[in-house]
C-alpha cells in the first residue's frame, strides 16, 4: 500500500475483502468510500469536495458514543482514531510518507494560517481568555513542526485536523462564501489533503478489519 486509491479501485478492493469484515466496520468503509466517490465528481468545486470528503471522514471515525451525551469529546474521538491508524501504519508509513513528501508544503501553509486557528476566532468574537491567541498559535505551530520532524504521525494528524476542523466549521455553518477568493488557498489545500488521506485511511481500515473501529450510531435498520 504505497499510494492512495481512487474510488473505483477502493470499491473493487472493498468488494474483494468485505466477506471478512465485521458488520459495523463494513458499514463504515462502505459509507466512507461512497462519499470519496462523490467528492471525485466535484470538478473544480473545492468547497463541495472538501465537504464531501469531511463526510467521508465522519463516516470512517465517528463512534456511537459521540451521539449519546457521553463525556468523550469529538477531539478525543479524533485522537483515538488517529492512534489506531498510526499503529497499523507503523511498518509501511504510508501516511507519514504522504504528509512529508507530497503535502509538506500545503500542510505547513495550513499550520501557519491563523484564519483556521480556533483561538484566533474566539478572540475575534470577544470571548475572554483568548487575548494571548498569538502566543498560543506560535506554540502550536512549533509543536507541530517538532512532531513532523519526529515522525509522530498521530500527533501530526491531530494538529492538521484541528485546523481542518475550523475550516469545516466555516463552510458547514455558513461562515464562508461559496467559491470565495478570501479562503481559496486553505479550501483548495484542505480538499487536496483530505482527498489523499481519506483513501489511505480507508485502506488501512480494510487491511485491519478486526480492529475496534467503533460502532456507527446510524446502522441500517429494516
Amino acid at each position: 500500500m504505497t499510494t492512495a486509491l481512487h474510488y473505483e479501485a477502493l470499491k473493487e478492493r472493498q468488494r474483494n475483502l468485505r466477506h471478512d469484515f465485521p458488520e459495523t466496520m463494513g458499514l463504515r468503509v462502505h459509507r466512507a468510500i461512497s462519499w470519496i466517490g462523490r467528492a471525485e465528481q466535484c470538478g473544480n468545486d473545492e468547497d463541495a469536495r472538501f465537504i464531501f470528503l469531511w463526510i467521508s471522514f465522519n463516516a470512517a471515525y465517528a463512534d456511537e458514543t459521540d451521539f449519546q451525551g457521553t463525556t468523550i469529546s469529538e477531539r478525543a474521538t479524533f485522537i483515538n482514531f488517529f492512534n489506531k491508524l498510526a499503529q497499523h501504519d507503523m511498518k509501511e508509513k504510508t501516511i507519514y510518507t504522504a504528509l512529508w513528501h507530497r503535502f509538506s508544503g500545503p500542510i505547513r501553509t495550513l499550520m501557519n494560517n491563523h484564519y483556521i486557528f480556533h483561538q484566533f476566532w474566539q478572540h475575534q468574537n470577544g470571548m475572554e481568555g483568548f487575548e494571548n491567541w498569538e502566543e498560543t498559535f506560535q506554540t502550536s505551530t512549533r509543536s507541530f513542526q517538532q512532531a513532523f520532524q519526529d515522525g509522530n504521525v498521530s500527533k501530526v494528524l491531530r494538529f492538521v485536523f484541528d485546523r481542518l476542523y475550523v475550516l469545516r466549521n466555516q463552510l458547514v455553518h455558513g461562515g464562508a462564501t461559496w467559491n470565495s477568493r478570501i479562503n481559496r488557498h486553505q479550501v483548495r489545500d484542505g480538499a487536496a489533503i483530505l482527498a489523499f488521506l481519506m483513501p489511505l485511511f480507508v485502506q488501512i481500515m480494510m487491511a485491519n478489519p478486526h480492529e475496534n473501529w467503533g460502532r456507527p450510531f446510524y446502522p441500517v435498520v429494516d
Side-chain angles (χ1 to χ4, degrees):
M1 184 172 58
T2 57
T3 59
L5 301 177
H6 292 290
Y7 169 75
E8 292 295 342
L10 275 175
K11 193 63 184 175
E12 181 179 359
R13 179 171 294 188
Q14 183 242 353
R15 291 191 185 104
N16 292 335
L17 297 175
R18 62 187 176 187
H19 64 276
D20 193 41
F21 292 168
E23 182 179 357
T24 55
M25 184 271 181
L27 182 60
R28 281 188 179 283
V29 166
H30 172 71
R31 287 173 171 172
I33 291 174
S34 75
W35 289 106
I36 290 172
R38 181 61 184 88
E40 290 181 3
Q41 300 173 33
C42 287
N44 294 324
D45 191 340
E46 301 295 352
D47 298 277
R49 187 193 316 279
F50 181 93
I51 291 169
F52 287 134
L53 287 166
W54 193 273
I55 296 173
S56 176
F57 176 57
N58 266 107
Y61 90 86
D63 188 75
E64 64 177 354
T65 55
D66 294 337
F67 304 94
Q68 292 180 339
T70 58
T71 56
I72 186 170
S73 68
E74 188 167 19
R75 189 172 187 275
T77 310
F78 279 16
I79 292 172
N80 185 43
F81 181 64
F82 295 148
N83 285 343
K84 291 176 182 177
L85 289 172
Q87 178 183 355
H88 289 297
D89 194 39
M90 288 182 65
K91 183 177 180 180
E92 296 197 33
K93 298 185 182 300
T94 52
I95 296 174
Y96 181 75
T97 300
L99 295 174
W100 182 261
H101 292 289
R102 184 159 181 171
F103 289 107
S104 61
I107 286 174
R108 290 179 192 277
T109 300
L110 278 179
M111 296 305 299
N112 287 318
N113 186 340
H114 62 269
Y115 294 110
I116 49 174
F117 185 62
H118 178 65
Q119 285 86 339
F120 168 77
W121 291 109
Q122 298 288 79
H123 175 64
Q124 287 295 310
N125 285 300
M127 298 188 68
E128 295 183 1
F130 294 94
E131 295 80 7
N132 66 336
W133 73 265
E134 290 181 272
E135 180 182 345
T136 306
F137 177 69
Q138 294 300 329
T139 300
S140 172
T141 302
R142 287 194 298 270
S143 297
F144 160 77
Q145 291 170 345
Q146 188 61 55
F148 209 14
Q149 292 172 5
D150 293 343
N152 189 330
V153 170
S154 180
K155 198 169 185 179
V156 168
L157 288 174
R158 289 179 228 167
F159 280 114
V160 171
F161 276 78
D162 276 348
R163 298 292 205 274
L164 293 179
Y165 188 71
V166 176
L167 180 57
R168 171 260 188 205
N169 287 344
Q170 291 171 352
L171 293 174
V172 172
H173 295 295
T177 303
W178 174 75
N179 202 32
S180 172
R181 176 182 57 82
I182 294 174
N183 66 354
R184 267 319 78 195
H185 292 300
Q186 53 260 45
V187 172
R188 182 194 62 220
D189 289 345
I193 291 166
L194 283 178
F196 198 82
L197 286 180
M198 277 312 306
L200 286 181
F201 291 175
V202 171
Q203 286 174 251
I204 292 171
M205 293 173 72
M206 289 195 292
N208 300 276
H210 297 290
E211 171 64 72
N212 180 14
W213 298 107
R215 291 172 54 86
F217 189 67
Y218 298 105
V220 177
V221 178
D222 294 330

